[in-house]
Amino acid sequence: MRRLFAGLAAGTFLLATAACGSSDDSGTSTGSSSSAGTTTVKLGLIPIVDVAPVYLGVEQGFYEKHGLKLSITTAQGGAAIVPGVVSGQFQFGFSNMTSLLVAQSNNVPVQAVSNGIASTGVQGKDFGAITVKKGSPLKSAKDLEGKKVAINTLKNINETAVRESVRKAGGDPDRVKFVELAFDQMPAALDSGQIDAAMVVEPALATVKSQGGVEIASPLVDVAPDLTVAMYFTSTQYAQKNPDLVKKFQEATAESLAYADAHPDEVRQIVTTYTKIPTAVLAQVTLPKWPAEANRSSIEALEKLGEQDKLFKSTPDLEKLLP
């Protein structure tokens, strides 16, 4: 869970572009076909709660029904997935929206194909929150001015979200001292006073609460109602050459998302099969939403904030990025 929103630096994107250019044929592979008439496609994932619908979809036979067999490879973070998809190592991958927007703005040939996860849209009841230690004098995001706030990746979706919470609370986000820290290290750092606040996501959020920590803002909710936080994507080249397989992946994933959203207990159970999250902790975790369709207006809001925060080399082209 430590790299839920793992960002991709511009240098990584340039590397991805170079990788794509040096292996023109690798991105065109459709995957291997089996005697049963199914096609095996490689999918790059991070082993976190967010991707539970895919595992449920495999278990429920949704992908098989659409003629697909998933070969899943897990990565420590999104930084390995975008270059992997662009170079053809994977046919599909999972990434947060800001990383995809940054990639598109750097002319990295990626294209979103299916929704991933969304915020719950409810203040104080989201899977991500700005938290402070029990007894902290900080009561709102405005109080973060001049304070040390931990985020998992600088200049990415969580920084953008925290900055928006500070603005909405009447504060100056430029006065916040952002520090980069892995999610799983945040609870201890907060409890020991090494940081003043932390933007944590589940299951680290549940851990902070178990220590007596308090939520003071829901940044992902502050960005936009029902924010689309992440999506599944492929390379532009693969999408152009394999439209039928992309459509099958989209349809099977949409079914999987709907099933996960309607069966939270099964989500919690299947997460234990591919992560090391303790069952006791998982029971306290706030799950994200898994709508079948991305919320375009929320992505536009995220794009505007990213431009305001100077994250993009050029304005991302949503017409090229979104399905």
Side-chain angles (χ1 to χ4, degrees):
M1 193 74 177
R2 66 182 292 177
R3 296 186 184 275
L4 173 61
F5 299 121
L8 299 169
T12 303
F13 286 129
L14 294 176
L15 175 62
T17 306
C20 181
S22 64
S23 54
D24 292 338
D25 294 333
S26 63
T28 65
S29 173
T30 61
S32 58
S33 296
S34 71
S35 58
T38 60
T39 300
T40 299
V41 293
K42 297 178 181 178
L43 172 62
L45 299 178
I46 310 169
I48 52 178
V49 173
D50 307 50
V51 298
V54 168
Y55 289 91
L56 278 177
V58 171
E59 184 178 78
Q60 294 296 318
F62 298 146
Y63 290 94
E64 184 179 7
K65 181 179 73 173
H66 288 279
L68 297 179
K69 180 179 179 181
L70 300 186
S71 174
I72 297 174
T73 299
T74 57
Q76 289 297 314
I81 296 178
V82 169
V85 169
V86 174
S87 67
Q89 179 185 357
F90 311 126
Q91 277 76 58
F92 300 96
F94 178 85
S95 177
N96 75 78
M97 285 313 305
T98 295
S99 288
L100 292 177
L101 289 168
V102 172
Q104 212 288 320
S105 74
N106 280 280
N107 295 315
V108 177
V110 293
Q111 182 176 324
V113 297
S114 175
N115 196 28
I117 60 168
S119 160
T120 65
V122 182
Q123 288 285 348
K125 295 182 179 179
D126 199 19
F127 70 94
I130 299 175
T131 58
V132 296
K133 185 178 179 179
K134 181 180 181 180
S136 170
L138 308 181
K139 304 300 182 184
S140 76
K142 184 181 188 303
D143 296 332
L144 298 178
E145 292 180 342
K147 303 301 181 181
K148 189 181 293 185
V149 180
I151 52 175
N152 72 308
T153 306
L154 297 173
K155 301 300 181 184
N156 209 272
I157 189 168
N158 278 338
E159 179 173 336
T160 290
V162 171
R163 290 174 67 90
E164 182 64 2
S165 287
V166 174
R167 286 190 197 98
K168 286 193 169 182
D172 180 359
D174 290 336
R175 294 183 59 192
V176 177
K177 299 175 183 177
F178 289 104
V179 296
E180 192 169 278
L181 194 64
F183 285 127
D184 62 359
Q185 296 175 17
M186 291 182 187
L190 190 63
D191 199 45
S192 66
Q194 295 177 40
I195 53 177
D196 299 301
M199 169 56 192
V200 290
V201 298
E202 297 290 14
L205 177 56
T207 302
V208 169
K209 289 179 179 178
S210 72
Q211 297 173 172
V214 179
E215 293 185 35
I216 62 170
S218 300
L220 300 175
V221 180
D222 284 336
V223 169
D226 306 317
L227 174 67
T228 294
V229 177
M231 295 186 72
Y232 294 91
F233 69 102
T234 188
S235 69
T236 303
Q237 183 181 35
Y238 187 82
Q240 291 172 344
K241 297 198 173 187
N242 303 283
D244 290 342
L245 287 176
V246 170
K247 184 178 180 181
K248 290 178 179 179
F249 181 83
Q250 288 172 324
E251 292 173 345
T253 302
E255 287 187 48
S256 301
L257 293 170
Y259 188 88
D261 218 36
H263 298 84
D265 290 341
E266 290 184 42
V267 168
R268 295 179 193 278
Q269 179 57 41
I270 204 159
V271 166
T272 64
T273 68
Y274 66 91
T275 76
K276 296 179 180 179
I277 298 175
T279 303
V281 174
L282 192 59
Q284 306 303 317
V285 165
T286 299
L287 298 176
K289 293 295 184 183
W290 288 290
E293 300 295 332
N295 182 343
R296 186 186 175 101
S297 64
S298 77
I299 297 172
E300 290 172 349
L302 193 61
E303 177 190 28
K304 289 179 181 178
L305 291 174
E307 288 187 321
Q308 187 172 336
D309 295 335
K310 298 180 172 56
L311 298 184
F312 310 131
K313 207 170 191 180
S314 59
T315 301
D317 188 338
L318 295 186
E319 296 304 319
K320 291 182 178 180
L321 178 62
L322 300 180

